[in-house]
Amino acid sequence: MQNSFCSLPGDIIGQETLTDDGFADEDIENELGPISVQLAYVQQVLGQTQESSSSYVDIIKRNVVDESSLAVTVNNLIALKGSKDVSDGLRKLDRLKDQDSQIFKLSQALDAKLSQKHKEAIYAKRVLLLLHANKIDQARELCAALTGLFPESVMPTLLQAAVLVRENKAAKAEELLGQCAEKFPEKSKLVLLARAQIAASATHPQVAAESLSQITDIQHFPATVATIVALKERAGDNAGAAAVLDSSIKWWSNSMIETNKLSILMPEAASFKLRHGQEEEASRLYEEIVKKHKSTDALVGLVTTLACVNVEKAETYEKQLKPLPGLKAVDVDNLEKTSGAKPMEGAAASAMQEEVKSKEKAKRKRKRKPKYPKGFDLANPGPPPDPERWLPRREMSSYRPKRKDKRAAQIRGSQGAVTKQDKQETAPSTSKSSQATNKSAGADHSKPASSKASKKKSRR
């Protein structure tokens, strides 16, 4: 048991030392528990996720570490899994809560032992897991409680913004983060980055660009400048985008940093201004790049830009370009005077046509013979199949709907009513004489009655 738990080198050394000192097995496991957690974290940092995850699970199952080490283990395992197995992560966090509290709250022992950073991380994991589990009400309730637990931290505000984004209230989240950045200016970097991300995802490019511009640490770096310019272009603020580029170029020109970024920013600024019709500004930037960095690409851009503004100056800089090989024998003036390519005639034209036809024939697909059913005689195929054989019966041209029989006797009266004729037929006979008279009467009157009925039917 001890060997499987103490499988890491540090645990083995500690086990040997404590065994020599006469510690019991349970005491050795308790002493080596925090070291096992630290070694599992090292594995996690080194990218050995499978080994680290199995170590965390083994530590939690054995339950031989103290409460603070267990809390760190649970937190690290949830961070390692991410959004996978959310219900299991919530169950593991329930082991750390105060059982008397209705909402999630760390036990008094953990609250006293853990640092502020560790407690913030555990509460943040709880809120994120609730969001992944679609338990929005519990997440909102916990975020409201975190504001009182961590009054000087921006973490509760970030979690509240995450809940608002999940509820499709991006504008309210942007407003909340903006207020937090004003309240804690020294901690505003993370808040402003989150606000920019939310605004960009919610198609609010101006708010996102404004948030990035307020982060003084990174506002002049090429990646940040490119993002702000793209956001302002999306918002239709081309003048603001140009101002951002000019401000960044000025800042890097006056800075004393060794890794200067002017060689990256100036060509992009020149390309931006050329794209938006500011040829003079673009040519000035290209000319400055050519003088400072001797860039061939900048020289080509300068000649192209000056051709629209100052042709003589463009010809002067054009002479600095290296001639392309193979173009010495080409007379540009005679080439411009030609009327263009002439159609081919004679044998060359016919040869070209034949070549094209042969290529077209090669591209044609090979026709395959049709497949006939088994036993089919192609010489005597018989009558052609009915073209309407797959149509529903009602849509066939030969379909005739059934006619309703209008000659059926119409029954009048309420249900169960009896006519006089029915009464006579069902009436019992009293004597043989009456039966005989009835038969004779029926025989005498049967013929005219049937003839009258037939006449009535024919009239109808």
Side-chain angles (χ1 to χ4, degrees), residues 5 29 53-65 70 73-74 77 88 92 95:
F5 179 72
E29 288 187 352
S53 177
S54 60
S55 299
Y56 286 140
V57 172
D58 194 20
I59 293 169
I60 294 172
K61 283 183 178 179
R62 292 179 180 278
N63 197 19
V64 293
V65 294
L70 179 63
T73 305
V74 171
L77 181 60
D88 181 66
K92 285 182 169 58
R95 298 175 60 177

Side-chain angles (χ1 to χ4, degrees), residues 46 78 109 163 256 269 288 291 293 304 315 321 363 372:
L46 293 175
I78 293 172
V163 175
M256 304 300 293
E288 189 174 352
K291 290 179 179 178
H293 304 286
T304 307
E315 291 177 351
L321 292 172
K363 289 181 180 178
Y372 298 104

Side-chain angles (χ1 to χ4, degrees), residues 163-205:
V163 175
L164 290 172
V165 170
R166 191 62 182 272
E167 295 175 335
N168 294 325
K169 298 178 181 178
K172 196 170 182 180
E174 294 168 12
E175 181 182 358
L176 180 66
L177 292 173
Q179 295 173 357
C180 180
E182 294 177 357
K183 184 178 179 181
F184 302 103
E186 68 281 356
K187 304 175 183 177
S188 62
K189 182 177 179 179
L190 188 60
V191 177
L192 291 172
L193 285 172
R195 184 171 183 250
Q197 177 65 34
I198 293 171
S201 302
T203 63
H204 301 154

Side-chain angles (χ1 to χ4, degrees), residues 92-349:
K92 285 182 169 58
L93 284 175
D94 287 338
R95 298 175 60 177
L96 311 178
K97 66 174 290 190
D98 187 2
Q99 302 301 327
D100 297 333
S101 179
Q102 294 182 354
I103 64 172
F104 181 81
K105 185 179 179 181
L106 291 175
S107 63
Q108 294 182 357
L110 282 176
D111 193 62
K113 291 181 179 180
L114 294 177
S115 64
Q116 189 82 355
K117 185 178 180 181
H118 288 159
K119 287 187 284 188
E120 286 185 5
I122 292 173
Y123 280 111
K125 297 291 188 306
R126 180 75 178 187
V127 173
L128 294 177
L129 288 178
L130 290 173
L131 290 178
H132 283 299
N134 291 325
K135 298 180 179 180
I136 310 298
D137 296 335
Q138 296 183 26
R140 190 189 308 108
E141 185 179 1
L142 182 56
C143 288
L146 292 180
T147 307
L149 292 175
F150 308 102
E152 298 299 324
S153 175
V154 298
M155 183 267 298
T157 306
L158 293 172
L159 295 175
Q160 287 178 355
V163 175
L164 290 172
V165 170
R166 191 62 182 272
E167 295 175 335
N168 294 325
K169 298 178 181 178
K172 196 170 182 180
E174 294 168 12
E175 181 182 358
L176 180 66
L177 292 173
Q179 295 173 357
C180 180
E182 294 177 357
K183 184 178 179 181
F184 302 103
E186 68 281 356
K187 304 175 183 177
S188 62
K189 182 177 179 179
L190 188 60
V191 177
L192 291 172
L193 285 172
R195 184 171 183 250
Q197 177 65 34
I198 293 171
S201 302
T203 63
H204 301 154
Q206 196 67 34
V207 178
E210 178 190 351
S211 301
L212 291 176
S213 300
Q214 294 177 10
I215 307 174
T216 56
D217 296 347
I218 61 172
Q219 65 176 346
H220 295 300
F221 282 88
T224 310
V225 173
T227 306
I228 295 173
V229 169
L231 290 169
K232 286 188 174 293
E233 275 191 297
R234 188 183 300 178
D237 188 10
N238 294 329
V244 170
L245 289 168
D246 293 339
S247 174
S248 299
I249 291 172
K250 184 178 179 181
W251 188 86
W252 283 105
S253 300
N254 298 329
S255 67
M256 304 300 293
I257 302 176
E258 294 181 359
T259 57
N260 203 296
K261 304 297 181 181
L262 281 175
S263 59
I264 300 174
L265 289 171
M266 290 180 71
E268 295 298 328
S271 176
F272 173 85
K273 294 189 176 184
L274 181 62
R275 191 167 62 249
H276 289 87
Q278 302 177 13
E279 287 84 3
E280 294 184 358
E281 290 290 328
S283 62
R284 182 183 60 79
L285 287 171
Y286 276 130
E287 190 172 5
E288 189 174 352
I289 297 170
V290 169
K291 290 179 179 178
K292 288 184 177 180
H293 304 286
K294 305 293 183 182
S295 173
T296 305
D297 295 335
L299 182 59
V300 173
L302 177 60
V303 173
T304 307
T305 309
L306 287 175
C308 303
V309 180
N310 191 342
V311 179
E312 295 179 357
K313 199 172 183 179
E315 291 177 351
T316 304
Y317 278 104
E318 186 268 337
K319 295 176 181 178
Q320 299 181 17
L321 292 172
K322 295 180 180 180
L324 294 175
L327 294 179
K328 292 182 180 179
V330 178
D331 191 351
V332 179
D333 296 332
N334 292 334
L335 187 62
E336 290 178 351
K337 291 177 182 179
T338 57
S339 58
K342 295 181 180 180
M344 298 177 65
E345 297 178 357

